[in-house]
Amino acid sequence: MNKHRGTILIIGDTLDGKLSPGTKQLGSKAWQLADRLGCDAVGILCGHDLHVTANDWSEATGLSVIALENPQCRYPHPGLLAAMAAPLVSEFSAKAVCFPHAMRTCQAAAVLAWKLQAPCVTAVESITLQGNELILKRSQYEGRLIASQIIDRFPVMLTLMPGGIPGEPEMDRSSRSPAVEIRQPAIKDDRVTPLSVDRIAGRDQGLENALVIVSGGRGLGSAEHKQQLEKTAALFKNAAVGASRGACDLGWMPHSLQIGETGRTVAPALYLACGISGAPQHLAGMRESRTIVAINTDKRAAIRSIAHYFVQEDLNTFLPLLRDRHEKTFAKGETDEDQ
Ligand code: FAD
């Protein structure tokens, strides 16, 4: 590795020794990002017993991976992660330290920035290099405005939204010769020790495994209208109902169905967003869906910017029509595969 070229450090997020979906996604785009910034790339993991995970990540991405291990990092600990990762920033002449965007990683990025007195930008949606400056774009006001920011001081700490790096994941890794290194740095800062992570009862994997997700937001108008979602989901073989935080906070839907930055991350073949405005925090959990159909009365809703199809209509009008059409089509004898 040519350290004089500068490096980007891709810091992965793990829980129970498994990579988060955002980490897998960011790792798969690591080389596009590195080329964009004219750098090499190195993956960093922090946790306990990471050997297998580090090898798998390296194999999947072509990244050399350094696993920082300590029993105190068995459970996620943004403060310790920042303390352990800080020395690597100067060791690798890092130009940028990139995290997949999530609550935990925002905390780690902020602590690391404070330690290094470096700039920190969270929820970055796109990056371009112009001369020696990075131009970063991020959404504001629930996606109604896009702010551009210039960074000319390095290293910079970034949390990256999914889908922010264009291009297909790199498939040809034959030119890379990645290595995995396990390090066990001493930890001086142990003021907080996480003791456990408890799973929320009743949370199954139905949403993550569904091919079709019919998701509802505040545009549902009331808890009763969630039936519209359930009846529509019943049209498809492997479908589930999801929700925005707006709908969950109102008590219309359980929080276990919340999709987004502080909820679940999904990537179904079809995502029907019904009455959801498309705040960046919601998009963070579903923008990798293969086909996104948004049903919204407001043609300026931010979700339109990522929807493949946009239906400007009241969901309480459109969804019954959709089901009706589906029934008539099937009454004519078309097969399920024609859907
Ligand atoms: P709204 O923004 O109110 O949008 C409702 C939409 O419905 C509007 O676009 C409206 O035009 C449309 N509409 C109204 N009536 C109809 C109708 N009859 N038919 C069709 N369309 C209609 N949000 C998440 O979803 N997931 C998260 O994980 C998440 N994490 C967050 C974390 C943080 C730290 C913060 C600050 C916020 C987070 N949020 C999250 C909240 C997020 O910012 C938005 O407030 C939320 O997503 C808005 O929910 P919504 O789209 O349902 O509601």
Side-chain angles (χ1 to χ4, degrees):
M1 174 169 309
N2 179 0
K3 287 187 188 174
H4 300 294
R5 211 178 148 217
T7 308
I8 53 165
L9 300 182
I10 309 282
I11 304 206
D13 185 30
T14 59
L15 184 59
D16 293 341
K18 293 200 183 87
L19 300 172
S20 70
T23 300
K24 288 185 192 162
Q25 203 270 339
L26 179 57
S28 73
K29 297 288 191 84
W31 292 110
Q32 277 100 317
L33 184 60
D35 287 347
R36 199 160 256 241
L37 305 190
C39 292
D40 289 311
V42 170
I44 310 289
L45 293 177
C46 176
H48 184 55
D49 280 344
L50 286 171
H51 193 75
V52 173
T53 312
N55 271 309
D56 289 352
W57 198 34
S58 176
E59 221 165 80
T61 57
L63 285 170
S64 285
V65 174
I66 297 177
L68 303 169
E69 290 202 337
N70 192 293
Q72 267 181 276
C73 297
R74 183 181 296 277
Y75 306 112
H77 189 323
L80 286 186
L81 189 161
M84 288 164 79
L88 299 180
V89 176
S90 52
E91 180 182 334
F92 284 94
S93 313
K95 188 167 189 174
V97 180
C98 303
F99 297 80
H101 182 74
M103 291 293 272
R104 274 203 299 271
T105 55
C106 281
Q107 289 173 30
V111 177
L112 192 55
W114 170 76
K115 276 184 188 301
L116 302 172
Q117 293 298 293
C120 176
V121 186
T122 57
V124 173
E125 292 186 1
S126 87
I127 300 183
T128 35
L129 183 66
Q130 270 180 25
N132 290 327
E133 294 175 340
L134 282 188
I135 315 290
L136 307 175
K137 293 197 182 226
R138 62 199 299 271
S139 298
Q140 295 192 329
Y141 299 105
E142 302 200 336
R144 289 185 185 89
L145 295 179
I146 302 285
S148 297
Q149 297 179 337
I150 295 177
I151 295 290
D152 57 4
R153 250 184 74 202
F154 301 98
V156 59
M157 315 294 122
L158 305 173
T159 70
L160 302 177
M161 298 293 269
I165 307 150
E168 288 301 307
E170 184 186 82
M171 296 313 286
D172 178 16
R173 301 182 197 102
S174 49
S175 56
R176 319 261 180 221
S177 45
V180 170
E181 189 187 340
I182 307 287
R183 295 189 188 179
Q184 290 164 335
I187 297 177
K188 294 189 193 93
D189 184 353
D190 59 354
R191 279 171 289 187
V192 177
T193 305
L195 295 180
S196 67
V197 172
D198 295 328
R199 302 248 168 252
I200 297 168
R203 180 164 156 151
D204 60 37
Q205 290 301 301
L207 265 176
E208 283 78 0
N209 296 333
L211 281 176
V212 178
I213 292 180
V214 186
S215 205
R218 267 201 291 241
L220 282 173
S222 75
E224 288 70 52
H225 290 151
K226 76 178 173 198
Q227 287 178 17
Q228 294 288 3
L229 310 178
E230 290 158 356
K231 284 183 191 164
T232 307
L235 299 179
F236 303 95
K237 260 187 198 154
N238 181 1
V241 168
S244 73
R245 178 159 152 185
C248 297
D249 284 350
L250 286 165
W252 298 346
M253 312 279 278
H255 274 286
S256 58
L257 298 187
Q258 181 184 316
I259 290 166
E261 179 182 321
T262 42
R264 300 167 79 158
T265 303
V266 296
L270 174 63
Y271 189 89
L272 281 175
C274 310
I276 294 177
S277 59
Q281 296 90 352
H282 186 79
L283 304 190
M286 46 64 73
R287 69 184 314 151
E288 294 295 307
S289 306
R290 202 174 328 141
T291 303
I292 298 169
V293 179
I295 301 135
N296 199 302
T297 44
D298 179 5
K299 68 174 180 192
R300 289 164 305 173
I303 194 137
R304 190 169 185 170
S305 65
I306 64 152
H308 301 96
Y309 300 95
F310 185 82
V311 181
Q312 190 189 349
E313 187 51 271
D314 186 325
L315 66 93
N316 292 304
T317 309
F318 180 75
L319 293 180
L321 281 175
L322 177 73
R323 292 196 298 273
D324 192 45
R325 176 68 189 266
H326 183 272
E327 262 169 36
K328 285 186 182 140
T329 308
F330 276 81
K332 278 194 216 149
E334 288 192 20
T335 65
D336 206 15
E337 275 66 43
D338 299 326
Q339 285 182 71

